[in-house]
Amino acid sequence: MHEMGIALEIHRVCREAVAGRGPGRIEKVRVAVGELSAIEPDLLRFAWEAVTRETTDEGAALEIEWHRTEQVCPSCGPVPDRAPGTWLRLCPSCGGPLELRGGTELEVLDLVFAAEDDPPGPGGDEPGEESA
Amino acid sequence: MSSDERDGRRVTRDFVRIRKSALAANDRVAGELRDRFRDAGTLVLNLVSAPGSGKTTLLEQTVRRLRDELSLGVLEGDVATELDAERIRALGVPARQIVTGGACHLESRIVRRALEEAEFPPLDILFIENVGNLVCPTSYDLGEDFKVALVSVPEGDDKPFKYPGIFRRALIAVVTKVDLLPHFSFDLDRVRERVATLNPAARFVAVSSTTGEGVDAWCDLLREALAAKREGRPWP
């Protein structure tokens, strides 16, 4: 169970990315996790809850973008519909050897940071405009 | 960006793009170690297997064969005890125990500190024996040239597909305890095929540290990899 260490590191990377933005909390983080990354998504979510508990970012959502490994035949292309956890030795069409592509991802993609601005002064700031 | 009010304070939401490995801190130190090993001409192997697969016993046989020819050093990762390092030191080869105190894998910072404390002489080959575990060590780069994955005959021939992450990454797959083949329904060819499915470039070797079968072939692979590193060639 090394997901705890990974979750701590994800939180550290996120906090580093918002350093200098002033007070606020991380609301959502997206991470890419690959089939061959040796990470169990449920354990990572559990660990994320644990490492963010009693921090500013408590309750931040961890969204996992799951990346499957593709088995690819150099002649016929990707093998369709491989059942999870099973691997084909040879291409079902031409019998040639297959290559593996992807699935080793373990990357912090992006986050949503909710910055708390200073309270509006008595002179009245305009309320913030919604923008993309 | 979007804004709203919360508890009378204005909240501004920002989307922050990061695109950074969750292992960046470990990888940075591993990169420093790799540079250091390259400058020193030291081949570094990260040995990964389940507990009891015979990593230390294979290392004992390996250092017996190579110690007069090459300068060797061993880092032994274990949750507890100095036992493994003592076994290697008994053979006249410098070894440093890393006691992780519960951690299920080694990280690059732990290796860096152990190397500082070990004060090894200049090495031809450094063996890093990871904590017995086929999952957690998979993600962690220790600055090694490559990982070696070991599976013993009693564990069963389905190990590569059960732990594809490590067998995808390892450049040598070793089946150990092949003297036990007559007593188990373990299909060596099936393991060879499964390893090749996950990593066609990986080399495959079957050994018995008890009878010595295959240990010379394993040592030859190490010599090949060391020569390739010294000549700046990719291997295998």
Side-chain angles (χ1 to χ4, degrees):
Chain A
M1 161 92 185
H2 62 306
E3 280 80 359
M4 201 59 106
I6 298 291
L8 273 170
E9 189 59 20
I10 291 172
H11 193 219
R12 199 192 60 77
V13 166
C14 290
R15 270 286 143 196
E16 203 175 81
V18 298
R21 283 174 181 261
R25 69 180 284 273
I26 293 166
E27 289 189 335
K28 185 174 99 172
V29 178
R30 282 198 323 131
V31 294
V33 175
E35 184 177 3
L36 293 174
S37 67
I39 292 293
E40 173 54 49
D42 283 342
L43 289 179
L44 186 59
R45 282 190 204 96
F46 174 79
W48 172 255
E49 265 181 54
V51 303
T52 52
R53 191 167 301 146
E54 290 173 23
T55 73
T56 324
D57 305 317
E58 177 160 358
L62 183 74
E63 208 175 282
I64 295 177
E65 187 183 285
W66 182 250
H67 289 250
R68 287 204 57 190
T69 301
E70 246 188 354
Q71 287 199 285
V72 181
C73 172
S75 322
C76 312
V79 175
D81 303 330
R82 178 175 62 81
T86 68
W87 305 90
L88 294 173
R89 172 85 183 104
L90 299 168
C91 173
S93 305
C94 73
L98 297 167
E99 294 166 4
L100 264 59
R101 277 190 209 152
T104 55
E105 297 80 357
L106 187 49
E107 196 179 53
V108 186
L109 298 173
D110 46 57
L111 59 79
V112 175
F113 183 70
E116 286 182 15
D117 299 345
D118 288 333
D125 284 18
E126 291 294 313
E129 284 286 310
E130 285 278 341
S131 64
Chain B
M1 183 193 285
S2 70
S3 299
D4 61 21
E5 297 271 340
R6 195 169 60 200
D7 303 333
R9 294 166 74 88
R10 195 165 66 188
V11 172
T12 309
R13 273 189 193 81
D14 274 328
F15 174 83
V16 182
R17 192 179 151 87
I18 301 177
R19 297 266 164 195
K20 191 171 174 185
S21 166
L23 295 159
N26 181 77
D27 292 349
R28 194 180 57 246
V29 175
E32 288 169 25
L33 289 174
R34 185 167 286 109
D35 289 346
R36 204 188 296 176
F37 296 142
R38 188 195 54 233
D39 294 345
T42 304
L43 177 74
V44 182
L45 307 185
N46 179 357
L47 277 67
V48 179
S49 82
S53 291
K55 293 186 293 298
T56 314
T57 309
L58 178 60
L59 280 181
E60 286 176 314
Q61 295 299 335
T62 307
V63 304
R64 279 200 181 94
R65 280 169 174 76
L66 295 178
R67 66 187 166 191
D68 296 332
E69 166 192 342
L70 298 170
S71 169
L72 308 172
V74 179
L75 292 179
E76 285 285 351
D78 274 299
V79 169
T81 81
E82 278 272 336
L83 296 171
D84 283 0
E86 284 164 11
R87 284 168 62 182
I88 301 297
R89 284 196 291 264
L91 298 169
V93 167
R96 174 90 193 174
Q97 186 74 45
I98 303 172
V99 178
T100 64
C104 50
H105 62 275
L106 297 178
E107 296 189 17
S108 54
R109 281 166 288 197
I110 298 172
V111 168
R112 181 173 64 186
R113 191 172 63 232
L115 284 172
E116 281 160 10
E117 292 165 355
E119 297 183 337
F120 286 138
L123 298 178
D124 295 311
I125 304 180
L126 171 66
F127 298 95
I128 305 175
E129 185 183 327
N130 221 307
V131 180
N133 183 330
L134 276 171
V135 182
C136 309
T138 304
S139 315
Y140 292 90
D141 182 1
L142 305 180
E144 72 268 2
D145 288 280
F146 54 85
K147 291 181 171 71
V148 177
L150 301 91
V151 53
S152 68
V153 166
E155 293 169 55
D157 52 24
D158 46 7
K159 272 278 161 78
F161 280 3
K162 281 185 172 172
Y163 301 91
I166 187 62
F167 285 92
R168 170 66 177 155
R169 287 167 179 79
L171 289 190
I172 303 180
V174 184
V175 174
T176 59
K177 310 188 189 181
V178 291
D179 52 300
L180 298 177
L181 278 171
H183 309 288
F184 289 86
S185 60
F186 184 100
D187 188 334
L188 208 51
D189 287 333
R190 194 180 299 156
V191 177
R192 192 194 308 267
E193 278 186 4
R194 287 173 171 174
V195 167
T197 296
L198 293 169
N199 187 358
R203 302 291 294 266
F204 182 88
V205 62
V207 305
S208 164
S209 299
T210 305
T211 65
E213 180 185 345
V215 180
D216 286 333
W218 152 253
C219 290
D220 284 343
L221 289 181
L222 302 183
R223 290 188 189 94
E224 266 181 42
L226 176 62
K229 178 162 190 173
R230 297 268 165 94
E231 292 160 21
R233 284 186 285 119
W235 188 90

